[in-house]
Amino acid sequence: MKRLIGIASWFFPSLTGLCCLLILAMVVIILGDIALHGVQRLSWEFVTAEPRVGMTEGGIFPAIFGTVLLVILMTIAVVPLGVATAIYLHEYARQQSKIVHLVRLALQNLAGVPSIVFGLFGLGFFVAFLGSGIDAVVFGGRLTYAQPCVLWASLTLAVLTLPTVVVATEEALRAVPRNYREAAYAMGATRWQVVRRVVLPQSVGGMLTGAILAISRGAGEVAPIMFTGAAYYLPYLPKKLNDQFMELGYHIYVMTTQSPDVEATKPILYSTVLVLLLVTFALNFTAIIIRSRIRRKLRST
Amino acid sequence: MSTSVAVSVRPDPKIRVQRVNIWYGAFHALKDVTFDIPSRSITAMIGPSGCGKTSLLRCLNRMNDGIRGFRIEGEILLDGCSTLGGRDLTKLRKRVGLVFQRPNPFPLSVFENVAYGPRVHGEWSRSRLGEIVEPALCATALWDELKDRLEENALALSPEQQQRLCISRLLAVQPEVLLMDEPCSALDPVATARIEELMQELKQSYTIVIVTHNMQQASRASDYTGFMWLGELVELDATTTIFTRPAQKQTEGYVTGRFG
Ligand SMILES: Nc1ncnc2c1ncn2[C@@H]1O[C@H](COP(=O)(O)OP(=O)(O)OP(=O)(O)O)[C@@H](O)[C@H]1O
Ligand SMILES: [Mg+2]
C-alpha cells in the first residue's frame, strides 16, 4: 500500500507533465513546419499581388484584403448584438423567466452546431430569403443582394460567433460585484444608469475579450462562407457590401482541392497558410491593444 | 400574541413604521413591527444575528423590492406619506439613503464617487458638481485629507476613508434619512470612534438609523435603541432606558449579555 502511494506520487505528476509537453510539441511542430516551408515563397510581391497562372504564381493580396474586411464586418455585427443580448439576459430579464431560459438554450445549441450548417443557414436565410426580400422591395426585383456576398458571409460568421460573445460578456457582467450595483441603486439610480455608469465600465474588458475570441474563431472558418460570399477567384477587390470576395482560408481550400494543378500550388500553399496565421494574429493583436487602451483609460478616470 | 411595542408618540416622527410584516418566500422575516423614528436623532437597532435588522433597514428605502419572493404588508410613512405604494423608487431613495456594512466605493476617482449621485439625479455641470463634492467631503472630515487626491482611485483609500467616502457619496444627493447597516464592522476601534463622532455631527441635520452588533456602540452613539428578536421588535425606547431598566425580560437578557 505504501509503495503504491509512493509510485502514484511521482507517476501522476509525470503523466500530467508529459501531456503538457505533448501539447507543446504539437504546437511547435505544426507552427515550425508551416513557418519553415512558408517563408520560402514569402515576399513583398506575394502579399501585394494578385494570383496568376492558375494560382501557381503571383500573390494573395485579394484574399488578405477579403479576410480582414470579412472579420471587421463580422465584429461590427456580432459585438453590439452579443453585448446587448448579454446585458438583457443578465441585467434586465427575470432570471427564472421562460424567455431567458429559451434564449440560453438557443445559445447553447448554436454553439454546438457544425459550421457547415451555418453556411447552409446563411445561404437559405440571408442570401435566398433576406437578399431576395431586399431586392424585391428596394431594388424592384433587380438582382442586387440575392447573391452570395461579403455582407451575407460576415453576418453568417456573426451568427456563428454570437454565443462566444454572449458567454464572454455575461461572464464579465457576473464579475461586477453586487455591492457596486446595490450602492448605485441605494442612491436612486435607475437600472439603465446602473448598467451605463457602473456595470459597463467595469466589464468592458471582458466584453472585448469576447470580441477577441470571436475574431479568432471567425477568421479561421471556411465552411460558413463557402456558399455565402467567398469566391474561387476574383480579379478585383470587393468595393460594395454585395460584392463577392476572396478569403485566405477558402483560398487554401481551393488551392488544395480545386486548382488545375494541385502539385504546382504547394509551395505557395504553405506561404498562404503562414499569412493566414499572421493575419489572424494581427487581428487579435489589434483587438488586444484596443482593449488595454480602453482599460487604461477607464482606470485613469 | 404580539410582543411588539409601539413607542409612546414623540413629537415630529420622520418615519412611522406601522404593523409591517415581510416574507421571503414562505419565511416570515419581520412580524408586526411598529415604531416611530424621531427626526434629527440616532435610532439604533440591536439584536442577535438573523433577527431581521438588515431586512427592516432595507424596507425603509425599498432595497428589498428586487428580491424574488419578497412580500411586504403594513405601512411605512415618510413625513406622513406612504412609501410603499409608489413606483418611483428613485425619489424615495434620494430621500432615504443607505450605507452598507462593507465600504463599497465605486472603482472610480474620489471625485467621481461623490459626484455619482448628483449625476444620477441629473446634475452634469462640472463646476456645480464641484460645489456639491466639497461640502459633502467636508461633512465627513475627508476634505482636508483628500483635497489633493480627488483624482485618485477610491479603492486606494483606507477602509475607514472608504466608509467615510461612502457616507459623503450619500450626502451628496442631499438625503433626509441615513440608514447605516453595521457601518463600522469592517473598521478598527479608532476608525469606529471617528465614524461615531461623525454621526453625532450628522444628526444635527439628518435622521439616522443604525444597525449594530456592538452594544457599546448603541449605548454610546444613539438616542433611541430598539431590540429585535426573531423578526419582532421586542422593545424600543430611549437608549438609557433600554440599557438601564428595559421593560422586557428578553431585552434585559440581551443587553446584559445573558443570551444572543
Ligand atoms: N434575500 C433573502 N432571501 C431569503 N431570506 C432572507 C433574505 N435576506 C434575509 N433573509 C432571512 O431573513 C432573516 C433576517 O435576515 P437579516 O439579514 O435581516 O438579519 P440581520 O438581523 O441583519 O442579521 P445579521 O446581524 O447577521 O446581519 C434571516 O433569517 C435571513 O436568513
Ligand atoms: Mg444584517
Side-chain angles (χ1 to χ4, degrees), chain B residues 24 27 29 48-55 67 182 213:
Chain B
Y24 296 110
F27 178 68
S49 237
C51 65
K53 306 180 294 294
T54 299
S55 302
I67 295 173
E182 302 184 42
H213 260 129

Short mmCIF file of all heavy atoms in Angstrom, two decimals, chain B residues 24 27 29 48-55 67 182 213, ligand 1:
data_model
loop_
_atom_site.label_atom_id
_atom_site.label_comp_id
_atom_site.label_asym_id
_atom_site.label_seq_id
_atom_site.Cartn_x
_atom_site.Cartn_y
_atom_site.Cartn_z
N TYR B 24 -39.85 36.43 2.95
CA TYR B 24 -39.02 35.99 1.82
C TYR B 24 -39.56 34.63 1.45
O TYR B 24 -39.30 33.65 2.14
CB TYR B 24 -37.55 35.85 2.24
CG TYR B 24 -36.89 37.14 2.66
CD1 TYR B 24 -36.54 37.36 3.99
CD2 TYR B 24 -36.58 38.12 1.72
CE1 TYR B 24 -35.90 38.53 4.36
CE2 TYR B 24 -35.95 39.29 2.09
CZ TYR B 24 -35.60 39.48 3.42
OH TYR B 24 -34.98 40.64 3.79
N PHE B 27 -40.85 32.36 4.26
CA PHE B 27 -40.22 32.70 5.53
C PHE B 27 -40.68 34.07 6.03
O PHE B 27 -40.52 35.09 5.35
CB PHE B 27 -38.69 32.67 5.37
CG PHE B 27 -37.96 33.06 6.62
CD1 PHE B 27 -38.00 32.24 7.74
CD2 PHE B 27 -37.24 34.25 6.67
CE1 PHE B 27 -37.33 32.59 8.89
CE2 PHE B 27 -36.57 34.61 7.83
CZ PHE B 27 -36.61 33.78 8.93
N ALA B 29 -40.10 37.03 7.91
CA ALA B 29 -38.86 37.60 8.45
C ALA B 29 -39.11 38.77 9.41
O ALA B 29 -38.32 39.00 10.32
CB ALA B 29 -37.95 38.04 7.32
N PRO B 48 -29.74 39.75 18.01
CA PRO B 48 -28.87 38.68 17.54
C PRO B 48 -28.90 38.53 16.03
O PRO B 48 -29.80 39.03 15.37
CB PRO B 48 -29.41 37.43 18.23
CG PRO B 48 -30.79 37.77 18.64
CD PRO B 48 -30.84 39.24 18.84
N SER B 49 -27.93 37.84 15.49
CA SER B 49 -27.81 37.62 14.05
C SER B 49 -29.08 36.99 13.49
O SER B 49 -29.64 36.09 14.10
CB SER B 49 -26.64 36.68 13.78
OG SER B 49 -25.75 37.30 12.92
N GLY B 50 -29.52 37.50 12.34
CA GLY B 50 -30.66 36.88 11.67
C GLY B 50 -32.00 37.29 12.23
O GLY B 50 -33.02 36.71 11.86
N CYS B 51 -32.04 38.30 13.12
CA CYS B 51 -33.32 38.67 13.70
C CYS B 51 -34.09 39.64 12.81
O CYS B 51 -35.23 39.96 13.09
CB CYS B 51 -33.12 39.27 15.08
SG CYS B 51 -32.24 40.82 15.04
N GLY B 52 -33.48 40.11 11.73
CA GLY B 52 -34.22 40.94 10.78
C GLY B 52 -33.85 42.41 10.77
O GLY B 52 -34.58 43.22 10.20
N LYS B 53 -32.71 42.75 11.38
CA LYS B 53 -32.31 44.16 11.43
C LYS B 53 -32.06 44.72 10.03
O LYS B 53 -32.57 45.78 9.67
CB LYS B 53 -31.04 44.32 12.28
CG LYS B 53 -31.16 43.72 13.67
CD LYS B 53 -29.89 43.90 14.48
CE LYS B 53 -28.68 43.16 13.94
NZ LYS B 53 -28.76 41.70 14.00
N THR B 54 -31.27 43.98 9.26
CA THR B 54 -30.97 44.44 7.90
C THR B 54 -32.24 44.48 7.06
O THR B 54 -32.48 45.44 6.31
CB THR B 54 -29.93 43.50 7.25
OG1 THR B 54 -28.74 43.54 8.02
CG2 THR B 54 -29.63 43.92 5.84
N SER B 55 -33.07 43.47 7.22
CA SER B 55 -34.32 43.43 6.46
C SER B 55 -35.16 44.67 6.74
O SER B 55 -35.71 45.29 5.83
CB SER B 55 -35.12 42.18 6.82
OG SER B 55 -34.38 41.03 6.56
N ILE B 67 -35.99 41.54 -4.72
CA ILE B 67 -35.75 40.14 -4.33
C ILE B 67 -36.94 39.28 -4.69
O ILE B 67 -38.08 39.64 -4.42
CB ILE B 67 -35.45 40.05 -2.82
CG1 ILE B 67 -34.14 40.77 -2.52
CG2 ILE B 67 -35.38 38.61 -2.35
CD1 ILE B 67 -33.83 40.89 -1.05
N GLU B 182 -24.55 48.34 10.06
CA GLU B 182 -23.27 47.98 10.66
C GLU B 182 -22.11 48.70 9.97
O GLU B 182 -21.20 48.06 9.45
CB GLU B 182 -23.06 46.46 10.59
CG GLU B 182 -24.18 45.70 11.29
CD GLU B 182 -23.91 44.21 11.30
OE1 GLU B 182 -22.75 43.84 11.54
OE2 GLU B 182 -24.85 43.43 11.09
N HIS B 213 -24.09 45.46 15.82
CA HIS B 213 -23.94 44.28 16.65
C HIS B 213 -23.28 44.62 17.96
O HIS B 213 -23.16 43.80 18.86
CB HIS B 213 -23.04 43.27 15.92
CG HIS B 213 -23.82 42.20 15.26
ND1 HIS B 213 -23.65 41.85 13.96
CD2 HIS B 213 -24.80 41.39 15.74
CE1 HIS B 213 -24.48 40.88 13.65
NE2 HIS B 213 -25.19 40.60 14.71
N1 LIG C 1 -32.89 37.67 0.36
C1 LIG C 1 -33.31 36.83 1.31
N2 LIG C 1 -33.95 35.69 0.97
C2 LIG C 1 -34.36 34.83 1.92
N3 LIG C 1 -34.18 35.00 3.22
C3 LIG C 1 -33.53 36.11 3.63
C4 LIG C 1 -33.06 37.07 2.69
N4 LIG C 1 -32.47 38.07 3.38
C5 LIG C 1 -32.56 37.73 4.69
N5 LIG C 1 -33.22 36.56 4.84
C6 LIG C 1 -33.51 35.90 6.11
O1 LIG C 1 -34.21 36.79 6.93
C7 LIG C 1 -33.74 36.72 8.25
C8 LIG C 1 -33.31 38.08 8.72
O2 LIG C 1 -32.18 38.45 7.98
P1 LIG C 1 -31.44 39.83 8.20
O3 LIG C 1 -30.32 39.91 7.24
O4 LIG C 1 -32.43 40.91 8.14
O5 LIG C 1 -30.89 39.64 9.68
P2 LIG C 1 -29.92 40.59 10.49
O6 LIG C 1 -30.59 40.87 11.76
O7 LIG C 1 -29.48 41.74 9.67
O8 LIG C 1 -28.71 39.61 10.76
P3 LIG C 1 -27.16 39.98 10.87
O9 LIG C 1 -26.99 40.55 12.22
O10 LIG C 1 -26.48 38.66 10.73
O11 LIG C 1 -26.82 40.92 9.78
C9 LIG C 1 -32.63 35.71 8.29
O12 LIG C 1 -33.13 34.50 8.80
C10 LIG C 1 -32.24 35.54 6.85
O13 LIG C 1 -31.85 34.22 6.58
#
